Amino acid sequence: MFSWRSRLAPRTSLESLAWISRSRPGPATSRIRSTARVPPLHSYVDPQGGPAKLAQAMGQVSSGLVPVLEALGDDESVPWLLIEPTAGQGRSLCAGIDDLAAYLEALEHHPKVGICLDTCHVFAAGEPLDEAGGGTRAVDRILEVAGPGRLRLIHANDSKDVRGANLDRHENIGAGHIGADAFRELFAHPATEGVPFVLETPGSREPGNADLTLLKQLRAEAHATAG
């Protein structure tokens, strides 16, 4: 198990990254090293444009990406395109879990479109991960909006700022406003089985960093509770 701090670039392969898996440790976890691409969704619309501008922007998303997805097809060898909601800064097209619905619709729910859940992002956009059951409800909502099998990656980050602040400032696990309980709930959710957790917290690239140890502990606790 390892960690990675820097932000994913659009052309970065997950096969070149190391991760902590939700699955129990063992050789079988290597099967989830699937390739994916995480494009930045820091795209904005004119604040004065209203719904018309937003519809135009989503139309551009569709016309730009759907032909690429159709050309690639849905074979197992084809990489996934993962949508990562932002923290809600400015006029982002996809900030928070509920915004995924319009984005998925624009991409015609292509079978190779998945979700990257950044815990700091969705918390900053208003998701109540700091409440008891917040992590569980967040994954449940992703399943409602996107359907099963689309959650493919989790960026595990606490937040330096309070819920709804629309600020993307990562904090060490358990030291921020989200708290450790949400990550234990994420590990315990059946939908995260086999999903990689990637650390992007301060110091997470350093050998023996405390966040990696803590995530391992939270994973073990989640599995023990689940029986």
Side-chain angles (χ1 to χ4, degrees):
M1 298 180 187
F2 303 90
S3 59
W4 182 69
R5 182 185 176 194
S6 304
R7 291 196 55 79
L8 287 173
R11 291 178 290 180
T12 300
S13 167
L14 295 189
E15 290 181 340
S16 67
L17 306 178
W19 39 263
I20 176 172
S21 168
R22 184 271 189 202
S23 303
R24 289 175 173 79
T29 60
S30 62
R31 62 183 170 79
I32 65 171
R33 281 183 175 269
S34 56
T35 304
R37 303 291 187 268
V38 185
L41 297 187
H42 300 292
S43 46
Y44 298 86
V45 296
D46 183 353
Q48 306 301 319
K53 276 288 187 181
L54 179 60
Q56 179 183 356
M58 295 309 294
Q60 291 172 343
V61 168
S62 179
S63 62
L65 290 178
V66 169
V68 176
L69 290 165
E70 290 179 343
L72 288 173
D74 59 0
D75 186 81
E76 287 188 4
S77 63
V78 174
W80 285 74
L81 176 73
L82 303 187
I83 303 172
E84 179 183 352
T86 72
Q89 315 96 309
R91 297 281 294 178
S92 173
L93 293 180
C94 188
I97 294 173
D98 287 343
D99 285 352
L100 289 168
Y103 224 96
L104 288 167
E105 183 176 353
L107 297 179
E108 300 178 0
H109 295 269
H110 190 279
K112 278 295 186 175
V113 174
I115 307 301
C116 171
L117 171 64
D118 186 308
T119 52
C120 181
H121 287 187
V122 297
F123 181 71
E127 190 68 29
L129 297 178
D130 54 339
E131 295 182 355
T136 302
R137 289 191 295 271
V139 178
D140 286 344
R141 183 59 182 147
I142 289 174
L143 294 177
E144 292 175 7
V145 171
R150 290 195 187 269
L151 180 58
R152 310 294 298 185
L153 178 65
I154 293 176
H155 287 175
N157 305 301
D158 212 320
S159 173
K160 292 182 181 293
D161 303 286
V162 297
R163 185 205 315 169
N166 299 132
L167 295 172
D168 182 18
R169 300 202 305 158
H170 298 183
E171 181 58 282
N172 295 107
I173 305 298
H177 289 275
I178 295 176
D181 288 346
F183 298 94
R184 186 186 297 106
E185 292 173 2
L186 291 175
F187 278 121
H189 200 293
T192 67
E193 178 68 38
V195 174
F197 283 59
V198 177
L199 278 168
E200 299 178 317
T201 54
S204 60
R205 298 187 70 177
E206 301 301 322
N209 75 87
D211 281 349
L212 188 57
T213 301
L214 178 55
L215 281 184
K216 290 179 181 180
Q217 175 186 333
L218 294 172
R219 181 180 65 178
E221 291 172 358
H223 289 164
T225 301

